[in-house]
Amino acid sequence: MSTVRFSESEMKRIGSYKIPGSYGSASVEQPKLSTPVTPRENVLRVFRGEKPLWLPNMNRDMNLICPDMMPDASARAFGGIDWFGVEWQYEPLTKAAMVKPGTRRLSDMVNWEKELVFPDLEQLDWKKDADELYSMLPNDRFTYFVIYNGIFERTADLTSFEDAFCYLLEEPEALTAFYDKLIDWYIQLIKIAKKYYHADMILFHDDMGAQRAPFFSGEIYQELFIPQYRKLTQAAHQEGMYIALHSCGNVRMHIPNFIEAGFDAWEGQEGATDKDEIMELYGDRLIQLGNFNISGNITDDEAVQIIKDMIKTRGSKGRCAYRIRDMRPVKGNTNLDDEMYRYSRIFYSGQ
């Protein structure tokens, strides 16, 4: 337990952080509290396997960097053409974009060397983007850099989901050759994230599951994906960064594979898997990130109790960080982010 006892004076706002928007959202301000250590130091304690002083809040304690000048980022947020020439279409209902129906960039995966041109990352002015849009980011917060789209997602984007599944079974050699090239390209981007944006962590997107089950077997993951992801995670670690895998859907079966591949953390979909069970079994080896949703017609007191229960169970190991998402149709006056900070400080200090 932490020896730094909680004081109510920590809840005093001593300033605010202005954070650039991400995923197409506007810039926001987050409060700066009178914390006993910086938010960055507290998050680093989680990644170093030390007990944090409070359960990190991904909105309040972390800087998210996903430059809109990256075609993948802008296409996924607003629609348009991504880095590899795939057209994305904005969907107002979900406030996000998807590959435009009927789009197909590759005639066949075996033709990728003839039909694909890999973007030259050095042609973009990363220094200008970092200086103009991200120089105001507070260095006392933990910074992570988001990379779209993962190697499985990229396969489906370039062809189709149906054909991507067939290629996993029928064209492992062509996929391996493509992934070798793609991973090398992502490693270049990882180095850029460190050099220009001073990232502490890479958040790498690769959704691999539907609501009920993963898209493919553990054997396929071990054969095709683990060798590639090991290169990716080793590159991040060599740059002095941590690396997390964002993978939505029910990917419970692949959690041991994520660990074997070298990921430090996993950002998963709330509600698709039993995160309490995953934390109990794998929390010592894999940090959990993501949203913690509060929903339903419940009172503030009930909402706060749900947060307290999460801290006492899933958060007890000090191996997670969450964004509180208040999805209740009628919200009260209680600041749930404050309550997560207050109770986790008390809980981790053993008061």
Side-chain angles (χ1 to χ4, degrees):
M1 294 294 181
S2 166
T3 57
V4 183
R5 295 177 65 82
F6 170 71
S7 167
E8 193 63 31
S9 63
E10 296 173 28
M11 305 307 300
K12 179 183 178 182
R13 267 64 167 172
I14 60 173
S16 63
Y17 298 110
K18 187 172 182 180
I19 309 302
S22 57
Y23 304 106
S25 64
S27 61
V28 297
E29 286 196 4
Q30 294 287 351
K32 182 176 184 178
L33 304 183
S34 182
T35 56
V37 299
T38 65
R40 181 175 183 270
E41 168 59 25
N42 190 61
V43 177
L44 286 173
R45 291 185 181 203
V46 173
F47 279 86
R48 294 194 299 252
E50 304 166 7
K51 183 73 75 173
L53 271 65
W54 68 92
L55 195 153
N57 184 315
M58 293 184 70
N59 285 329
R60 286 191 173 184
D61 301 339
M62 299 187 184
N63 301 320
L64 186 161
I65 295 179
C66 187
D68 286 339
M69 77 166 190
M70 298 193 303
D72 279 353
S74 56
R76 295 259 316 225
F78 309 109
I81 307 299
D82 72 14
W83 243 320
F84 287 82
V86 176
E87 184 175 0
W88 291 70
Q89 182 174 291
Y90 182 75
E91 294 292 333
L93 186 63
T94 59
K95 298 181 181 180
M98 62 179 289
V99 174
K100 184 179 179 180
T103 297
R104 189 180 182 97
R105 178 65 182 82
L106 280 181
S107 61
D108 193 285
M109 184 52 65
V110 298
N111 297 326
W112 71 267
E113 288 183 276
K114 299 176 182 177
E115 298 178 2
L116 275 189
V117 176
F118 277 71
D120 183 354
L121 295 174
E122 294 303 323
Q123 292 300 308
L124 293 176
D125 195 339
W126 300 101
K127 185 178 186 304
K128 179 181 178 183
D129 182 73
D131 289 346
E132 291 184 356
L133 298 179
Y134 296 98
S135 60
M136 83 293 290
L137 284 177
N139 59 16
D140 61 349
R141 291 173 28 128
F142 184 88
T143 297
Y144 66 99
F145 188 100
V146 180
I147 296 179
Y148 299 119
N149 290 349
I151 55 179
F152 173 72
E153 287 183 351
R154 188 75 68 184
T155 307
D157 296 343
L158 292 168
T159 57
S160 70
F161 263 95
E162 296 86 351
D163 282 352
F165 297 138
C166 293
Y167 295 138
L168 292 174
L169 297 172
E170 299 173 357
E171 300 292 349
E173 291 183 2
L175 278 181
T176 295
F178 173 56
Y179 291 163
D180 283 341
K181 176 74 171 179
L182 189 57
I183 286 292
D184 286 344
W185 185 79
Y186 282 131
I187 289 173
Q188 285 184 270
L189 192 52
I190 284 174
K191 292 178 179 180
I192 286 168
K194 182 64 174 181
K195 180 178 180 180
Y196 295 104
Y197 298 92
H198 312 294
D200 296 301
M201 185 187 82
I202 298 295
L203 179 60
F204 191 84
H205 278 240
D206 215 353
D207 291 341
M208 292 186 167
Q211 188 68 21
R212 294 184 178 180
F215 292 140
F216 43 80
S217 70
E219 289 76 16
I220 287 177
Y221 193 101
Q222 291 165 9
E223 177 186 354
L224 290 176
F225 294 99
I226 283 183
Q228 303 297 338
Y229 280 139
R230 278 180 176 159
K231 290 184 287 186
L232 193 76
T233 58
Q234 288 171 5
H237 294 153
Q238 287 169 1
E239 291 294 318
M241 291 185 289
Y242 299 101
I243 183 166
L245 177 67
H246 170 103
S247 193
C248 283
N250 187 339
V251 293
R252 167 66 180 81
M253 181 177 69
H254 291 318
I255 296 296
N257 290 326
F258 298 163
I259 296 169
E260 188 176 344
F263 288 104
D264 301 294
W266 161 62
E267 182 177 78
Q269 177 185 347
E270 193 76 12
T273 53
D274 185 342
K275 288 190 173 181
D276 289 343
E277 182 220 19
I278 292 171
M279 178 59 71
E280 180 64 27
L281 293 175
Y282 303 107
D284 293 335
R285 291 175 287 164
L286 191 69
I287 295 161
Q288 280 189 32
L289 308 174
N291 298 327
F292 186 79
N293 301 333
I294 304 294
S295 59
N297 293 306
I298 60 174
T299 66
D300 280 3
D301 287 345
E302 290 170 323
V304 170
Q305 188 58 51
I306 290 171
I307 293 172
K308 289 182 176 180
D309 290 341
M310 177 271 287
I311 293 167
K312 288 187 289 187
T313 54
R314 194 187 306 176
S316 63
K317 292 185 177 183
R319 295 281 289 169
C320 58
Y322 294 117
R323 310 173 195 90
I324 296 293
R325 292 183 66 204
D326 190 349
M327 304 172 68
R328 295 176 294 167
V330 179
K331 299 173 178 59
N333 296 319
T334 300
N335 188 309
L336 300 183
D337 289 317
D338 278 356
E339 293 305 313
M340 184 170 82
Y341 176 87
R342 177 183 283 109
Y343 185 74
S344 62
R345 275 286 289 119
I346 293 170
F347 180 79
Y348 289 145
S349 67
Q351 292 171 244

